[in-house]
């Protein structure tokens, strides 16, 4: 191919032919200098600056909309909504007050992961002037003002799982700790307001705030959080006429309080020394909302590739924006660096292995399609509950037991046709591409191509193999986690080893307290596709990269089926599958079992998701979503009735819309 170059004129030739229009040349030079000046100025702005400006603009628009919304007359949104949908029902608190319900049992709230506020008590120079200001929750202003410094202070020490040197971030105390996650985004506020309508106030309501980043036992070691919960419950019971407390944990707070119930009765120094009858004396009921009793597959995706369904979809729409390849902002890497120091995330790795979640060829929810689920009937008869409401997926047969599959063909293939190469013990090698990325600490910089290839060539991972896989790709993180959490099924619960705190948050490796008069509820939303299994692919090598990502190109053509953007979904609340939230109360603890030796009564209450009909309804009053359910009027009414003294039977017994009882029967667990 010929290369045509422009000939350069000699200097003497240029001098012999002066420009007839020198003024025009001056104008051109002035314009050119302005353009070059603009270019030079633009070079001074990094992508990180642009991203921070973008976040700042979004926040400014949010604040403006919030201001305009608050400037409207208080009755205007309700007036417009009623004009569209008809009269609004009374809030649950008003309804219960009209029925004559009053305060009886003190109430304790136990927030879950990420919903509790955290504030700065000590930090580095980059955080000067922010003493006791919220770093988590509230406006999140420091995220876009000083992102690197914020990540540094929100991270824990990756060796100890505790405070890094010179940094102290502590939980906010009081009801304000988790009433709102951000301005206008409620968590506990609606429930608190409705309880207040029947007479509750701070003397008989307590928010058991704790640092949700820490391993459960470390919340006691560092902050004495478990001791504070114990002493506050004792105080509230004694000052409320001896009426036992109703405890309401949400999300990860469910398994945190399960840990507490073992801790409070265990002898010191490992436990609280309350004795074997402490729960029987102080707790009337435990109302678990959206509880991940058996873990969530979403936790696997988060720890493995810092992804979930939404992030994977965003990554597909804008390739490289969340990675380091295009803009060098390393968003996902920093998320992984930070979240992998939070030991609490490992508490939600799926528990029970293949016995609970299924194997290569079976799963409890096999054949179920969320979009075709038919609403069930509310009934307390077991025979009615056991009627399956699931529908067969006509297009594909989803192998939900294969939580991670490398390739769509592997996810669909019969297990006999899958050739797997053992990854345990493989030589990891060294990743030259990531050898300068230790500030973005993900542990993938310690893994070479040999290790990455070994993970991919094993092809498919069930729940029983997930822990081994995570130990292979993140050994330092899992070494910390294995000291605090366990994911198996106990053969003999009388074995002294189960007296160790690492087993206390796993309902399959611990016993409920000896409290036959106590009640345990599992309340959770259903009717929303919820992540259950993933199809992965390898990521092209780049500096500071995460080598695995969800393959968003894998999807079913039939919109009624369960695979979309590389994620298989089942019925649940968008975060916790119904199987994890409901199994223990549906079967594992139902009646006298080895996990429930005193026969504590258990109830399953599902709330079918009904999204808001218009934007003025906000997040709705009948939502089944994982956080939005905290504003569900039906659930709030049930909570108020229990707090006012009603039993589970008086509230209505079991209420089911899914096939939770059928799924539970497919699980062959010794009870």
């Amino acid at each position: 191919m010929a290369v045509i170059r422009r000939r350069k004129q000699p200097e003497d030739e240029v001098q012999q032919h002066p420009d007839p229009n020198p003024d025009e040349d001056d104008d051109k030079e002035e314009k050119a200098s302005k353009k070059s000046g603009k270019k030079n100025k633009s070079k001074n702005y990094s992508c990180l600056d642009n991203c921070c400006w973008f976040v700042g603009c979004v926040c400014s628009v949010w604040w403006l909309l919030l201001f305009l919304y608050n400037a409207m007359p208080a009755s205007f949104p309700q007036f417009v909504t009623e004009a569209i949908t008809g009269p609004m029902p009374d809030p649950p608190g008003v309804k219960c007050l009209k029925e004559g319900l009053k305060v009886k049992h003190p109430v304790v709230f136990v927030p879950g992961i990420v919903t509790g506020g955290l504030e700065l008590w000590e930090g580095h120079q980059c955080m000067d002037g922010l003493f006791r200001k919220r770093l988590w929750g509230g406006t999140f202003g420091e995220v876009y003002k000083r992102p690197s410094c914020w990540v540094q202070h929100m991270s824990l020490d990756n060796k100890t799982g505790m405070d890094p040197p010179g940094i102290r971030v502590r939980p906010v105390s009081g009801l304000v700790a988790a009433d709102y996650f951000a301005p206008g985004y409620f968590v506990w506020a609606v429930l608190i307001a409705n309880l207040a309508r029947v007479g509750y106030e701070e003397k008989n309501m307590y928010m058991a705030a704790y640092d949700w980043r820490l391993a459960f036992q470390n919340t006691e070691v560092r902050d004495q959080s478990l001791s504070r919960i114990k002493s506050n419950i004792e105080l509230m019971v004694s000052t409320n006429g001896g009426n036992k407390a109703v405890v309401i944990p949400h999300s990860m707070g469910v398994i945190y309080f399960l840990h507490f119930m073992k801790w409070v009765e265990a002898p010191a120094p490992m436990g609280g020394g309350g004795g074997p009858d402490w729960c029987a004396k102080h707790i009337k009921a435990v109302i678990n909302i959206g509880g991940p009793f058996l873990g969530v597959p979403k936790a696997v995706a988060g720890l493995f590739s810092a992804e979930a369904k939404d992030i994977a979809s965003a990554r597909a729409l804008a390739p490289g924006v969340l990675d380091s390849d295009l803009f060098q902002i390393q968003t996902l890497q920093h998320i992984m660096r930070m979240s992998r120091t939070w030991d609490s995330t490992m508490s939600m790795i799926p528990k029970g292995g293949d016995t609970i979640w299924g194997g290569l060829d079976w799963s409890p929810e096999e054949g179920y399609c969320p979009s075709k689920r038919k609403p069930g009937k509310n009934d307390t008869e077991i025979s009615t509950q056991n009627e399956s409401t699931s529908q067969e997926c006509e297009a594909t047969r989803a192998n939900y037991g294969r939580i991670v599959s490398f390739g769509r063909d592997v996810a669909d293939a019969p297990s006999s046709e899958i050739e797997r190469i053992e990854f345990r013990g493989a030589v990891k090698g060294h990743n030259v591409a990531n050898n300068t990325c230790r500030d973005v600490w993900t542990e993938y910089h310690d893994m070479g191509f040999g290790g990455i290839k070994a993970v991919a060539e094993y092809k498919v991972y069930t729940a029983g193999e997930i822990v081994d896989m995570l130990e292979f790709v993140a050994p330092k993180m899992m070494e910390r986690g294995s000291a605090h959490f366990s994911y198996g099924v106990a053969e003999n619960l009388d074995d002294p080893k189960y007296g160790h705190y690492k087993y206390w948050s796993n309902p399959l490796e611990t016993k409920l307290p000896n409290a036959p008069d106590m009640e345990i509820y599992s309340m959770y939303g259903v009717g929303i596709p919820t992540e259950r299994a993933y199809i992965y692919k390898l990521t092209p090598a780049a500096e500071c990269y995460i080598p695995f990502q969800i393959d968003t190109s894998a999807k079913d053509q039939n919109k009624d089926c369960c695979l979309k953007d590389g994620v298989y979904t089942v019925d649940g609340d968008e975060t916790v599958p119904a199987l994890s939230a409901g199994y223990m109360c549906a079967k594992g603890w139902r009646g006298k079992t080895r996990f429930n030796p005193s026969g504590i009564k258990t109830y399953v209450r599902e709330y079918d998701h009904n999204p808001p009909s218009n934007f003025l309804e906000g997040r709705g009053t009948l939502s089944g979503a994982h956080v939005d359910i905290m504003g569900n009027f039906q659930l709030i009414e049930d909570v108020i009735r229990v707090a006012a003294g009603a039993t589970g039977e008086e509230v209505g017994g079991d209420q089911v819309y899914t096939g939770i009882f059928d799924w539970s029967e497919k699980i062959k667990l010794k009870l």
Side-chain angles (χ1 to χ4, degrees):
M1 181 185 291
V3 178
I4 301 176
R5 295 180 180 151
R6 183 173 295 179
R7 182 176 63 86
K8 185 177 180 181
Q9 282 186 309
E11 292 183 6
D12 56 347
E13 187 176 345
V14 174
Q15 292 174 355
Q16 291 175 4
H17 300 279
D19 193 330
N21 298 311
D23 294 337
E24 291 183 10
D25 288 347
D26 291 342
D27 292 340
K28 289 179 182 179
E29 288 177 6
E30 185 177 351
K31 290 179 181 179
S33 64
K34 288 182 179 178
K35 288 182 180 179
S36 63
K38 289 181 180 178
K39 289 181 181 179
N40 291 334
K41 288 181 181 178
S42 66
K43 290 180 182 179
N44 294 331
Y45 288 93
S46 68
C47 175
L48 187 59
D49 293 326
N50 293 332
C51 289
C52 292
W53 274 107
F54 174 74
V55 173
C57 291
V58 170
C59 291
S60 299
V61 172
W62 169 255
W63 275 103
L64 177 61
L65 293 175
L66 194 64
F67 170 78
L68 293 175
Y69 180 82
N70 290 326
M72 289 191 298
S75 59
F76 182 74
Q78 182 177 348
F79 172 78
V80 176
T81 300
E82 290 183 352
I84 298 172
T85 63
M88 293 284 288
D90 283 337
V94 174
K95 179 180 177 181
C96 292
L97 183 63
K98 289 179 179 179
E99 294 179 15
L101 297 185
K102 297 179 180 179
V103 174
K104 184 174 182 181
H105 297 279
V107 172
V108 177
F109 309 116
V110 186
I113 193 169
V114 310
T115 55
L118 299 174
E119 61 188 17
L120 181 71
W121 280 79
E122 181 185 2
H124 295 162
Q125 187 175 0
C126 60
M127 283 290 179
D128 282 353
L130 296 178
F131 175 67
R132 293 203 64 201
K133 300 294 184 182
R134 289 200 183 196
L135 296 188
W136 187 272
T139 62
F140 285 93
E142 304 312 315
V143 178
Y144 61 88
K145 288 181 181 176
R146 48 194 107 191
S148 298
C149 185
W150 180 83
V151 169
Q152 181 185 17
H153 283 72
M154 281 299 300
S155 301
L156 296 170
D157 188 280
N158 56 35
K159 293 182 180 178
T160 64
M162 301 288 269
D163 291 324
I167 294 175
R168 282 187 295 151
V169 175
R170 296 292 182 264
V172 177
S173 59
L175 295 178
V176 297
D179 55 352
Y180 287 92
F181 176 64
Y185 191 90
F186 70 82
V187 182
W188 292 90
V190 178
L191 177 57
I192 292 170
N194 279 276
L195 283 165
R197 287 182 181 271
V198 296
Y200 278 90
E201 49 191 285
E202 280 204 89
K203 69 181 181 182
N204 42 38
M205 288 193 292
Y206 167 63
M207 183 71 72
Y210 60 98
D211 190 338
W212 44 262
R213 301 172 301 163
L214 297 173
F216 299 161
Q217 192 70 7
N218 279 345
T219 64
E220 172 65 15
V221 172
R222 195 192 74 179
D223 300 334
Q224 293 75 54
S225 296
L226 299 174
S227 294
R228 293 172 189 271
I229 296 174
K230 176 177 179 284
S231 60
N232 273 282
I233 291 177
E234 291 172 344
L235 176 64
M236 292 172 73
V237 170
S238 65
T239 56
N240 282 273
N243 290 317
K244 301 176 186 178
V246 170
V247 184
I248 311 171
H250 172 245
S251 189
M252 190 187 76
V254 167
I255 52 177
Y256 182 72
F257 193 75
L258 187 66
H259 179 99
F260 169 84
M261 287 195 293
K262 292 300 293 185
W263 172 87
V264 73
E265 295 190 342
M270 187 180 294
D277 59 350
W278 190 94
C279 291
K281 290 179 178 179
H282 294 89
I283 301 176
K284 186 260 185 187
V286 182
I287 303 176
N288 301 293
I289 302 176
F293 286 107
L294 302 176
V296 288
K298 201 171 187 175
V300 175
L303 293 171
F304 188 47
S305 61
E307 288 180 294
K309 182 174 64 174
D310 296 337
I311 292 178
S313 299
R315 203 178 193 183
L317 289 172
V321 173
L322 295 178
D323 299 298
S324 61
D325 303 300
L326 183 60
F327 292 132
Q328 302 294 318
I329 60 176
Q330 302 165 354
T331 306
L332 288 180
Q333 287 83 345
H334 281 294
I335 291 173
M336 178 173 281
R337 167 200 170 187
M338 181 172 65
S339 62
R340 279 193 174 182
T341 67
W342 299 345
D343 289 351
S344 61
T345 58
M346 289 177 277
S347 71
M348 292 184 289
I349 293 173
K351 304 175 178 72
D354 296 0
T355 302
I356 298 294
W357 295 92
L360 293 176
D361 296 313
W362 81 280
S363 66
E365 313 102 318
E366 189 173 20
Y368 185 78
C369 278
S371 60
K372 287 190 174 184
R373 181 180 60 79
K374 294 179 180 179
K377 294 181 179 180
N378 302 347
D379 204 318
T380 57
E381 295 293 328
I382 298 298
S383 60
T384 304
Q385 293 163 349
N386 283 339
E387 292 179 3
S388 175
T389 60
S390 64
Q391 302 292 311
E392 286 296 324
C393 193
E394 297 172 359
T396 61
R397 175 180 174 274
N399 295 305
Y400 292 123
R402 306 177 186 183
I403 292 182
V404 171
S405 302
F406 279 89
R408 173 71 186 273
D409 55 337
V410 173
D412 293 340
S415 60
S416 59
E417 297 179 6
I418 301 175
E419 296 182 4
R420 306 163 81 188
I421 300 175
E422 180 60 58
F423 71 95
R424 301 173 184 87
V427 177
K428 293 183 180 181
H430 183 68
N431 194 334
V432 177
N434 279 353
N435 62 1
T436 62
C437 302
R438 294 182 182 271
D439 59 324
V440 188
W441 184 83
T442 66
E443 293 199 65
Y444 281 128
H445 65 257
D446 288 332
M447 179 180 291
F449 181 73
I452 296 168
K453 184 180 178 183
V455 172
E457 287 183 341
Y458 196 68
K459 296 186 178 179
V460 60
Y461 296 84
T462 64
E465 297 157 331
I466 285 294
V467 174
D468 290 342
M469 182 262 283
L470 290 175
E471 287 176 345
F472 184 79
V473 301
K476 297 173 185 176
M477 176 191 74
M478 291 302 291
E479 183 181 2
R480 294 194 325 268
S482 62
H484 289 276
F485 304 108
S486 181
Y487 312 101
V489 179
E491 289 295 325
N492 178 16
L493 285 167
D494 294 324
D495 190 324
K497 78 173 186 178
Y498 292 110
H500 191 273
Y501 59 75
K502 69 181 288 185
Y503 301 103
W504 292 348
S505 60
N506 182 355
L508 303 175
E509 294 183 305
T510 190
K511 296 178 185 178
L512 289 177
N514 183 20
D517 295 329
M518 194 169 84
E519 294 179 325
I520 296 181
Y521 298 79
S522 185
M523 298 181 175
Y524 54 93
V526 295
I528 309 178
T530 303
E531 296 171 44
R532 179 65 164 81
Y534 304 89
I535 295 176
Y536 269 86
K537 66 179 181 180
L538 292 177
T539 307
E543 189 176 9
C544 305
Y545 80 124
I546 297 172
F548 312 106
Q549 72 178 78
I550 296 172
D551 184 1
T552 53
S553 66
K555 58 187 68 178
D556 276 328
Q557 297 300 320
N558 187 339
K559 66 179 182 179
D560 290 331
C561 281
C562 314
L563 175 62
K564 183 179 180 181
D565 296 333
V567 180
Y568 285 102
T569 57
V570 291
D571 208 343
D573 68 1
E574 202 170 28
T575 297
V576 182
L579 179 70
S580 179
Y583 172 77
M584 293 309 297
C585 283
K587 185 179 179 183
W589 290 332
R590 184 60 60 104
K592 285 191 176 184
T593 70
R594 67 192 184 105
F595 304 110
N596 181 15
S598 66
I600 295 172
K601 289 184 179 179
T602 62
Y603 300 94
V604 176
R605 293 191 63 79
E606 298 179 339
Y607 300 85
D608 202 22
H609 178 63
N610 188 2
S613 57
N614 61 75
F615 76 95
L616 289 173
E617 290 187 20
R619 289 150 64 196
T621 59
L622 293 173
S623 176
H626 187 65
V627 177
D628 294 356
I629 198 174
M630 302 297 286
N632 185 301
F633 278 12
Q634 294 177 1
L635 180 143
I636 293 172
E637 182 179 336
D638 289 345
V639 169
I640 293 175
R641 293 187 183 282
V642 174
T647 65
E649 295 297 332
E650 292 170 340
V651 169
D654 295 311
Q655 172 179 281
V656 295
Y657 294 90
T658 68
I660 184 61
F661 287 95
D662 271 353
W663 301 337
S664 298
E665 288 302 317
K666 293 179 183 179
I667 295 173
K668 305 306 178 184
L669 178 66
K670 183 179 72 173
L671 299 176

